[in-house]
Amino acid sequence: MTKTQVHTNLMKSLATSIGLCLALLYNTLDLTAQQQISFVPKLYNQPIIVGHKYFLEQQKDSVQIDKLQFYIANIYFYLDATEVHEVAQKHFLIDIENTSSLELNCNLEEGINYNKIKFDLGIDSTTNVSGAMGGDLDPTNGMYWTWQSGYINFKLEGSSPLCPARKNEFQFHIGGYQAPYNPLQTIELALTKGNLSIDVNIEQLLDQVDLTQTYKIMSPNAEAVATSQLFLQLFQQSK
Amino acid sequence: MSLKYSILVLISLGCMGFYTIELKLFDYPEYFPVPEYNFDENPLEEAKVELGRALFYDPILSKDNTISCASCHSPYNAFAHTDHDLSHGINDEIGTRNAPALFNLAWQKSFMWDGAINHLDVQALAPISHPAEMGESIANVVNKLQNSALYRKMFFEAYGDSLATGEYTLKALSQFQLTLVSSNSKYDKVKVGKDSFTVQEQAGYTLFIKNCNSCHTEPLFSNYSFANNGLSIDTTLNDYGKWGISKQSKDSLLFKIPSLRNLSYTYPYMHDGRFKKLNEVLKHYTTGISHSKTIAKELKRPIILSSNDKVDLIAFLLTLNDKDFVFDPKNKFPRDILMSSEGFKK
């Protein structure tokens, strides 16, 4: 055996023992972590069922939701005014049809009653110019525009007799990152009683846009930015 | 030998290995600027470049498995397309723009004639999804790749995982395209003292520096920004370039400045392929400028070139042809892979 080989073996066993220690440490940490937040898409306080018809109270006609996907990013938890926890995973793709995506693993410590959460609805501009990415950001998720670079922050599709479009369909693809049409919104919510369930009240959007006029937003523009203002009212801690 | 010392030796040996591999896959002369592409995010490796090359030439990326990237970007045309002014895709659909040549992409800040794409990695999504180009979706492409024995093997070799993802597919395509470096033209040889210009070429070079270099900046022969070079609008296409993306009037009729390397291989010229010959291009710059609001300041006053000047200037432009690049076997159709029993031509 040459000296280099001895050293390599030595290093190998060293690495293995460090690895073991880390694994043990990680396991003990894991016992206290794993707390998650959940998002519940709703229309007038009822959890939304895809393909089911609901009555729009403001516009007095029915609506059906076929698709709801959005990005939640850069989540921070606060105790009083102090930021105390930053969620390690930066970007989560929420998809109403993928129930496991509605639960976000935030690795929160148990027993702490955080009283504020802050997060972005959408993808920041730095991420938008950083090329191809994987996981929740993989372009196969259908949340990346193809003819012009940029993520779709929020996608809502469905139909209502109010829409003059083909098959009465509406499509809201709100995204992009370039000024002056950056629709990224930062949301802050007060949390009480350690309740980490958040409603996504879609009527806050559908009651505010006139579906007879506005039913197709497919690129970054002034209309997309205006619509993104409504996202500020979308979220509410579940009752 | 102490442990410390041998670790040092190991590390430096490792670095040297890495260095030589990098040199072989991506190399450029010292008078080139620093690339724009962030190689730290996608370090080049042989198996990944090879995967990217297979993907580039494989029609599996299109809906009906008939069109590959190379259908519009042929290696013998410096990865442009010369049969048509506008590109042809699946079902013989005709696009609205001329397919640009592909080389020195690592130095480009944005892509497409209008700059619609901000990063090389995500560029391929555009042709894959375009109904008049490949008419496919990236999700379905990935699905097809996961079901192919050939690509399960190639993804495993490249990424240690046999299952393709969108990210890896796109990054591998970038890897291959990043290796397309054109830096071996006569101009380059003159630059490093291995050749010299003829009197005529030298005269053309002087005219070039005076009239063209502010936009088609050497040594890449583009500064890769956008300009209105005075082409009149084609009313059958109504293509306003960058304006279509930014919707700001200052961007009306601005198109990306293309490199002037390899012009003998990349005709027809301009975003809509309106000129077939360099003579026509020079006629445009001297007497054909259309003066709209956003015309570049350099072109407001007429460029004056005698017929001798034009001959000289063209002689210089021809020194930018890089035959070594165009016929480089490493860039060609990977016959051994795609014609194998597992490839598409089985």
Side-chain angles (χ1 to χ4, degrees), chain A residues 3 7 11 128-134 138-140 144-149 177 179-181, chain B residues 1 3 6-7 116-119 121-122 125-126 129 138-139 142 165-167 170-171 245 248:
Chain A
K3 274 188 182 169
H7 290 150
M11 279 160 63
N128 261 294
V129 296
S130 301
M133 274 165 285
D138 197 297
T140 49
Y144 197 91
W145 273 308
T146 57
W147 47 275
Q148 171 178 9
S149 300
Y177 64 96
Y181 304 127
Chain B
M1 205 156 63
L3 178 63
S6 54
I7 289 176
I117 305 292
N118 67 25
H119 196 290
D121 291 359
V122 291
L125 293 169
S129 319
I138 183 70
V142 166
T165 67
E167 179 190 14
L170 294 171
K171 283 192 161 159
I245 300 300
Q248 295 178 22

Side-chain angles (χ1 to χ4, degrees), chain A residues 51-87:
Chain A
H52 187 84
K53 283 200 169 53
Y54 297 85
F55 195 73
L56 283 176
E57 287 167 11
Q58 296 287 322
Q59 309 198 46
K60 307 281 182 245
D61 212 328
S62 68
V63 72
Q64 171 182 320
I65 306 293
D66 294 323
K67 194 169 263 183
L68 174 64
Q69 284 170 293
F70 54 89
Y71 278 111
I72 296 290
N74 303 318
I75 310 175
Y76 296 93
F77 286 88
Y78 290 76
L79 253 183
D80 299 324
T82 317
E83 179 210 312
V84 289
H85 183 76
E86 175 180 350
V87 176

Side-chain angles (χ1 to χ4, degrees), chain A residues 54-225:
Chain A
Y54 297 85
F55 195 73
L56 283 176
E57 287 167 11
Q58 296 287 322
Q59 309 198 46
K60 307 281 182 245
D61 212 328
S62 68
V63 72
Q64 171 182 320
I65 306 293
D66 294 323
K67 194 169 263 183
L68 174 64
Q69 284 170 293
F70 54 89
Y71 278 111
I72 296 290
N74 303 318
I75 310 175
Y76 296 93
F77 286 88
Y78 290 76
L79 253 183
D80 299 324
T82 317
E83 179 210 312
V84 289
H85 183 76
E86 175 180 350
V87 176
Q89 185 175 336
K90 288 278 136 214
H91 312 276
F92 293 89
L93 176 58
I94 317 288
D95 181 347
I96 193 170
E97 291 188 278
N98 172 7
T99 40
S100 65
S101 78
L102 300 172
E103 313 261 312
L104 280 53
N105 188 348
C106 296
N107 277 319
L108 293 170
E109 260 176 77
E110 241 166 81
I112 298 186
N113 283 342
Y114 301 98
N115 50 19
K116 193 174 92 180
I117 181 173
K118 187 174 99 174
F119 56 83
D120 290 341
L121 179 58
I123 303 297
D124 61 87
S125 53
T126 309
T127 308
N128 261 294
V129 296
S130 301
M133 274 165 285
D136 284 12
L137 292 172
D138 197 297
T140 49
N141 295 321
M143 292 294 275
Y144 197 91
W145 273 308
T146 57
W147 47 275
Q148 171 178 9
S149 300
Y151 279 96
I152 300 170
N153 293 344
F154 179 95
K155 193 186 250 190
L156 177 68
E157 294 181 5
S159 59
S160 164
L162 292 161
C163 297
R166 189 173 152 266
K167 296 192 200 155
N168 300 333
E169 285 169 349
F170 59 84
Q171 286 151 314
F172 298 116
H173 296 186
I174 313 286
Y177 64 96
Q178 267 172 314
Y181 304 127
N182 185 348
L184 183 83
Q185 297 293 351
T186 302
I187 317 272
E188 295 193 15
L189 282 182
L191 298 174
T192 51
K193 295 171 286 175
N195 175 2
L196 295 176
S197 171
I198 297 169
D199 290 348
V200 190
N201 297 320
I202 296 300
E203 73 277 6
Q204 292 294 340
L205 188 66
L206 291 178
D207 279 349
Q208 300 301 319
V209 295
D210 179 0
L211 285 176
T212 66
Q213 303 288 328
T214 307
Y215 47 85
K216 193 169 181 163
I217 304 178
M218 302 287 274
S219 60
N221 55 29
E223 209 179 20
V225 173

